[in-house]
Every structure is written in C-alpha cells, then in structure tokens.
Amino acid sequence: MTHYEQRKTLRDSIESLLPQLSDDDVIHVVDAGSTDGSFHILEELDYDGKIDLLYRDGVSRGQGRQIAFEESNADIVVAHADLDTIFYPVLEQLREAYRRIRSERGAGVLLVHGCFVSDRSTINSIGGWNDLQVHEDKDLWIRADDNATLYQMPVSVVQHHDNFEWESPMYRFKRLYQNYRDAIRLGIPSAALGASYRRHQSVSSWPPNAVLLSIAARRGKNMRSYDTLREEYPDPAKFHLRELTFRTLIESQVIEPEILQIPSEFSQYQSKRVYPGKTSYY
C-alpha cells in the first residue's frame, strides 16, 4: 500500500483490514512524506506488529507499490488496496479464490473492484510497478495482459471509498497535470491527448487543458518513459485519453481480461465496477 496525507481516512481503513489478517499476514505501507500527522497514526495502529511502515519521502505511487512489494515475502499478494477505502471482510476468501484460479487456469493478475490479487512470480515476471504517480496500476495491467493472464471478477471489496482529496481545487489541478504527464510517459503522443480533450470536453475547458498538457509534455521529456502504450493506444476520437479509464482500456481492446463467473461466496459483493477511484470507473 502507498500513503500520502490520508489522515482523514486511514484509521477506518486500517481497522477494516487488521481483523482480516492471518498470523502470517503483514500490511506493508510506504509513506511518501506525509506532513499531516498521519504517519504517527499509522505507528499507533501498529499495536500488534502487523503493519510494516516505511517512510520514503517523495516517492511516486508506482515506486511506493514496488517498495512495499519488495518488502513482502508472501507468495500471494493483495495490491492497490488504498487507505481511503473501508474494506469488506472478504480478502481471505479472495486469496483463496485466486489460489483456485491459479490451480485451474494458471497464474496471472486477478482484478476486482478495490484491489487486485496476484502471486510474486507473476508480478516479478512482468517487471513490477514502474515509477509513475498515476496510471501505475493500469501500466502493470497492460503488461500483465501482454505477458501473463489478466482475470476480471465483477466483485467489490469496497464498503466505502472516500475520495476526499478531490475536494481541493489544487489537488484536482495537480492530478490533471499528472494524468497528462504520465500518459505521455506511457507513450501516448501529446498531439493525441490534445485531440482527445478537444473532442470530449467543452470549449470552455480547452485553455486550462492546453496549459496543463504543454507543461506535462515539456516536463515529461526529462523523465523516464516506459512506452507501454506507444504501439497501441486508444483512439482519441472515441476515448478521453487523459484518465485512461478501465472502460477505455477494455473497449479499445488495449486489455482483454478473461471474465470470471462470481463464486457463490461472493454473491453479495457483486459489482459492475472493477477499479477504485472516481476518475477511473468509466
């Protein structure tokens, strides 16, 4: 898990996870330099040694996820379970479901709404997480779809998701810039991103998007690129590329996950969504 200044939500999130842990389970949390006191709350919550808390000032979400993964020694890992979420008590059942899938169909990455499950060898084989602030999990999914097997089960582990950061205009502005910058680093040309916002957004929004895209293109040139989407990115005439939503990746056939039937033990947790985040459902 990665964390940055989520004081408002982290206590409820951690307290929904701790009762679900077995004796061998550990929550690995990488803090990217919080200054709101949340790091100390996490220390307080680690009353039984089940939280491995690491402070890595300034790391991206992709770096943080990779550090947490490398700190773990578990065979099966639950990833992208963020600390702005309260979780249903289904994580152990989800791991058991993945074990059955791995036995019957082969190892891969299992996507559900709220997290994904995979095994250590699969994540290592596709290269883990790249140094991206946004789109870092989508980047991993695309590589998993190309080099392993991507499974999708329409089940939700999310009881409540509080995207409180989006209440801040400054956060929204910064996030939109990061979306453009990291989309460029994944190989989508800035011209395609420009064509996309002009096709899918109102004319009144064009000037700020043009400014953000220009800054993102200039700064992105000085950062490492990964080119995951350079050869195959969605059509900007059909899709809004800035957000790279799950629906966009599916409908453009950038990823083609194997859709699984919902096991009976998950029937009450059925979901039409597979990815947390208000900007990523659609």
Side-chain angles (χ1 to χ4, degrees), residues 180 197-198 200-211 240 242:
Y180 279 130
Y197 78 68
R198 289 190 294 272
H200 299 284
Q201 294 189 220
S202 64
V203 173
S204 63
S205 72
W206 290 8
N209 275 274
V211 171
H240 196 344
R242 185 185 66 201

Side-chain angles (χ1 to χ4, degrees), residues 61 134 166 171-179 279:
R61 289 198 306 181
V134 296
W166 285 89
Y171 177 87
R172 292 198 299 269
F173 191 80
K174 181 178 180 180
R175 180 61 180 268
L176 295 179
Y177 153 73
Q178 291 170 337
N179 282 348
T279 62

Side-chain angles (χ1 to χ4, degrees), residues 206-221:
W206 290 8
N209 275 274
V211 171
L212 289 172
L213 179 55
S214 176
I215 297 171
R218 186 169 64 252
R219 293 182 178 176
K221 289 180 180 179

Side-chain angles (χ1 to χ4, degrees), residues 31-84:
D31 186 287
S34 297
T35 60
D36 65 346
S38 54
F39 187 86
H40 300 298
I41 295 174
L42 286 165
E43 289 180 314
E44 292 172 7
L45 289 168
D46 187 26
Y47 46 81
D48 59 359
K50 303 298 286 183
I51 302 175
D52 175 29
L53 183 57
L54 301 170
Y55 187 86
R56 298 291 186 271
D57 190 17
V59 297
S60 67
R61 289 198 306 181
Q63 286 176 311
R65 296 195 196 287
Q66 184 64 23
I67 291 168
F69 172 71
E70 291 173 0
E71 282 291 309
S72 167
N73 59 11
D75 172 42
I76 294 179
V77 297
V78 177
H80 195 56
D82 290 333
L83 289 174
D84 56 1

Side-chain angles (χ1 to χ4, degrees), residues 13 34 39 61 79 100 222 253:
S13 181
S34 297
F39 187 86
R61 289 198 306 181
R100 292 196 301 270
N222 299 320
Q253 298 182 317

Side-chain angles (χ1 to χ4, degrees), residues 127-229:
W129 284 266
N130 286 321
D131 178 13
L132 296 160
Q133 182 61 26
V134 296
H135 308 319
E136 77 287 351
D137 285 303
K138 300 162 195 175
D139 167 54
L140 186 145
W141 300 346
I142 294 166
R143 288 182 282 115
D145 193 53
D146 289 340
N147 301 292
T149 303
L150 195 62
Y151 301 106
Q152 176 191 346
M153 185 186 296
V155 164
S156 177
V157 301
V158 176
Q159 182 176 348
H160 177 71
H161 181 218
D162 188 344
N163 232 341
F164 67 93
E165 297 101 333
W166 285 89
E167 297 170 3
S168 164
M170 182 60 69
Y171 177 87
R172 292 198 299 269
F173 191 80
K174 181 178 180 180
R175 180 61 180 268
L176 295 179
Y177 153 73
Q178 291 170 337
N179 282 348
Y180 279 130
R181 183 198 65 197
D182 287 359
I184 291 169
R185 295 172 66 204
L186 287 177
I188 301 179
S190 57
L193 289 163
S196 176
Y197 78 68
R198 289 190 294 272
R199 176 67 176 82
H200 299 284
Q201 294 189 220
S202 64
V203 173
S204 63
S205 72
W206 290 8
N209 275 274
V211 171
L212 289 172
L213 179 55
S214 176
I215 297 171
R218 186 169 64 252
R219 293 182 178 176
K221 289 180 180 179
N222 299 320
M223 302 178 74
R224 182 177 178 181
S225 62
Y226 298 101
D227 296 342
T228 307
L229 286 169

Side-chain angles (χ1 to χ4, degrees), residues 8 68 85 96-97 168 175 191 208 231 240 246 253:
K8 179 180 178 181
T85 301
E96 287 302 317
S168 164
R175 180 61 180 268
E231 300 299 326
H240 196 344
F246 189 85
Q253 298 182 317

Side-chain angles (χ1 to χ4, degrees), residues 92-112:
E92 180 55 37
Q93 295 98 305
L94 191 61
R95 286 188 297 184
E96 287 302 317
Y98 177 75
R99 289 187 180 98
R100 292 196 301 270
I101 293 165
R102 183 173 63 176
S103 174
E104 296 169 4
R105 299 170 180 264
V109 174
L110 172 62
L111 305 178
V112 300

